[in-house]
């Protein structure tokens, strides 16, 4: 098992901070370009999160299973949760079974029954591929009674270090934990004690970039001079939050950035359209994802005082949650890790609207020339200059962020063209290099249903396709036979190696009369003979109109 990551959360001008484990086996790590997170196999992590603060304290295990099953089905890959609850549950700090987290003095008398339930919830999330942003010491707004700030103030440095040791030891075996510390207040009065929690955990940390700029909504504000910040985030309720995200993106040197919190569904007068604006504005302004929130889901209905609602199960299928599923599908259907915000309107040359308004449209261009993606909060004709794309022709698509419906606009010569949405409301425009043959937006960039890599880096086999050894240091033998198509006598097609973002790394064509169609060697290099990084790749065979694939792992 791998060690957990650490995410430090604080709120000085609404900012949260992330700490990352320095272990090479961490479940998530910073990408080489410092713009996003990826797993240990090099697969990029498009953060699609949900605020579930009271999950451990308010729900029974069967109820937690209902919630996590639903979130997995909708494509959420992260949930933000309090390990110990101080106010936002029916009987705080006790859980649904009446077990309190501490039998005596806080932080040094953990109750085994309470934490056994917490362990079970963490395990349920792990089984479903959901990362938990797990807060063991939420401070609360204004350092008041909402959180544990008073107890932290009363604790000694030694006690807080012991709490960190307990956490580090108990949860070292889980690989789906990112710890959050603090929350909703300036941590300065208790910063020394929160630091002891981190120190006691024994987690090694990445040093941060130096010389970072500061913003009133960024995580990096709260801990000037700290040597453990590896990921930045934005916490803002601004209705033009793309400005705050841009500030975070322009920090120099760059840091991975995500939108940690903005207005929740059923709070602050939100609408499905305003919720979608938050998510798409963030992603196209440089964030690698967003943590969505819904009331009453975040507190699981312990009280109607927040939004007048307490039926959290009835809210699971509301538009905000459903739209997050389409959000993730859209970005993962293109090379989202290549997207660079088009702040200067080099590609999105007209129709973007007035800056600093809710009508403003944002766009990003893939650095490899594969796609341009633009989000329009309202319907209007826009003009796109596709000069940055590769290839001689482009293919355009309208994507409806409300239901994932796609309108194919066909191909055009690469150049400047006007595009008009097919209806009212908000829209996403995708313009691709037509030669790449991308699927419609929202469809998987690589074939669906392929065997996943297991915890040992191994992949199961697809009939007719055999790769060995796997993993390998660059000595893969790839065999493809017509047995996968028993009706095929003459077979022809292509074998390609794709990276985690769907980019073609290496390719071969084949043609044969039955028997073994292809017997190839891949040495871990691209078509230009350049070594590619270690990570998870896909070998894809397209033959007689069908696609087959197998995942493989390249190690160095």
């Amino acid at each position: 098992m791998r060690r957990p990551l650490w995410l430090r959360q604080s709120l000085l001008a609404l900012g949260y901070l992330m700490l990352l484990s320095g272990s090479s086996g961490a479940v998530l790590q910073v990408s080489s370009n410092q713009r996003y997170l990826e797993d240990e196999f090099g697969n990029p992590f498009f953060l699609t999160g949900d605020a579930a603060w009271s999950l451990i304290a308010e729900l029974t295990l069967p109820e937690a299973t209902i919630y996590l099953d639903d979130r997995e089905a909708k494509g959420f890959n992260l949930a933000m949760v309090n390990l110990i609850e101080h106010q936002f549950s029916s009987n705080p700090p006790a859980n649904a079974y009446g077990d309190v987290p501490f039998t005596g003095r806080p932080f040094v008398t953990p109750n085994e029954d309470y934490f056994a339930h917490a362990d079970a919830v963490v395990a349920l999330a792990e089984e479903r591929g959901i990362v938990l942003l797990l807060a063991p010491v939420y401070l609360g707004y204004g350092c008041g009674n909402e959180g544990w700030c008073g107890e932290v103030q009363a604790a000694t440095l030694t006690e807080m270090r012991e709490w960190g040791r307990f956490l580090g030891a108990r949860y070292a075996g889980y690989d789906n934990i990112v710890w959050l510390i603090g929350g909703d207040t300036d941590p300065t009065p208790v910063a020394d004690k929160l630091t002891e929690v981190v120190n006691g955990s024994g987690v090694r940390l990445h040093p941060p970039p130096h010389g970072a700029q500061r913003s009133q909504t960024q995580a990096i504000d709260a801990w000037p001079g700290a040597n453990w910040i590896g990921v930045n985030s934005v916490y803002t309720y601004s209705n033009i939050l793309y400005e705050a995200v841009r500030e975070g993106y322009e920090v120099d040197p760059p840091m991975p950035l995500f939108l940690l919190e903005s207005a929740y569904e059923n709070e602050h007068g939100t609408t499905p359209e305003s919720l979608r604006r938050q998510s798409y504005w963030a992603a196209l302004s440089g964030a690698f994802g967003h943590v969505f929130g819904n009331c009453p889901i975040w507190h699981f209905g312990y009280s109607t005082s927040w939004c007048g609602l307490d039926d959290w199960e009835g809210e699971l299928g509301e538009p905000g949650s459903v739209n997050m599923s389409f959000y993730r599908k859209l970005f993962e259907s293109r090379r989202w890790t290549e997207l660079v915000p088009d702040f200067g309107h080099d590609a999105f040359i007209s129709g973007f609207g007035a800056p600093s308004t809710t009508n403003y449209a944002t766009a990003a261009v893939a650095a490899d020339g594969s796609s341009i993606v633009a989000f329009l909060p309202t319907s209007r004709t826009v003009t796109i200059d596709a000069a940055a794309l590769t290839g001689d022709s482009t293919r355009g698509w309208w994507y409806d962020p409300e239901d994932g419906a796609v309108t194919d606009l066909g191909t055009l010569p690469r150049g400047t063209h006007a595009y008009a949405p097919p209806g009212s409301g908000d829209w996403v425009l995708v313009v691709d290099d037509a030669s790449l043959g991308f699927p419609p937006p929202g469809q998987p960039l690589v074939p669906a249903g392929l065997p996943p890599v297991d915890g040992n880096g191994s992949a199961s086999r697809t009939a007719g396709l055999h790769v060995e050894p796997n993993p390998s240091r660059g000595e893969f033998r790839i065999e493809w036979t017509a047995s996968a198509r028993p009706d095929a006598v003459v077979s022809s097609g292509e074998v390609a190696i794709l990276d985690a973002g769907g980019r073609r790394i290496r390719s071969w064509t084949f043609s044969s009369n039955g028997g073994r169609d292809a017997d190839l060697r891949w040495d871990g290099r691209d078509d230009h003979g350049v070594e590619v990084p270690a990570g998870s790749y896909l070998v894809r065979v397209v033959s007689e109109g069908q696609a087959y694939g197998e995942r493989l792992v390249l190690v160095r």
Side-chain angles (χ1 to χ4, degrees), residues 79 199 212 243 326 368 388 443 468 475 501 540 551:
N199 292 339
E243 294 183 343
F326 297 127
D368 64 357
Q443 298 299 312
E468 65 175 5
E475 302 168 345
R540 181 178 66 182
R551 298 198 182 275

Side-chain angles (χ1 to χ4, degrees), residues 172-202:
Y174 293 93
D175 60 7
N176 68 321
I177 293 177
V178 178
W179 292 105
L180 298 95
I181 300 182
D184 285 343
T185 194
D186 179 358
T188 302
V190 292
D192 56 342
K193 295 179 180 179
L194 298 182
T195 300
E196 286 303 303
V197 177
V198 176
N199 292 339
S201 73

Side-chain angles (χ1 to χ4, degrees), residues 234-236 241 245 257-262 278 282 287 289-291:
V234 170
Y235 179 130
T236 178
L241 59 78
V245 178
L257 178 76
F258 69 103
L259 179 59
L260 181 73
E261 183 164 311
S262 48
Q278 294 176 161
H290 172 215
V291 180

Side-chain angles (χ1 to χ4, degrees), residues 491-552:
S491 177
S492 62
E494 180 193 65
V495 178
I497 305 296
L498 309 179
D499 70 7
R503 289 175 288 268
R504 182 182 280 101
I505 301 299
R506 184 81 176 270
S507 62
W508 305 263
T509 59
F510 65 85
S511 179
S512 68
N513 290 315
R516 182 176 297 161
D517 297 298
D519 188 354
L520 306 168
R521 304 294 187 275
W522 184 48
D523 58 4
R525 298 175 184 270
D526 64 17
D527 280 327
H528 302 289
V530 179
E531 285 191 351
V532 299
S536 179
Y537 292 85
L538 171 75
V539 54
R540 181 178 66 182
V541 177
V542 178
S543 177
E544 306 303 317
Q546 298 291 321
Y548 308 87
E550 184 170 324
R551 298 198 182 275
L552 52 83

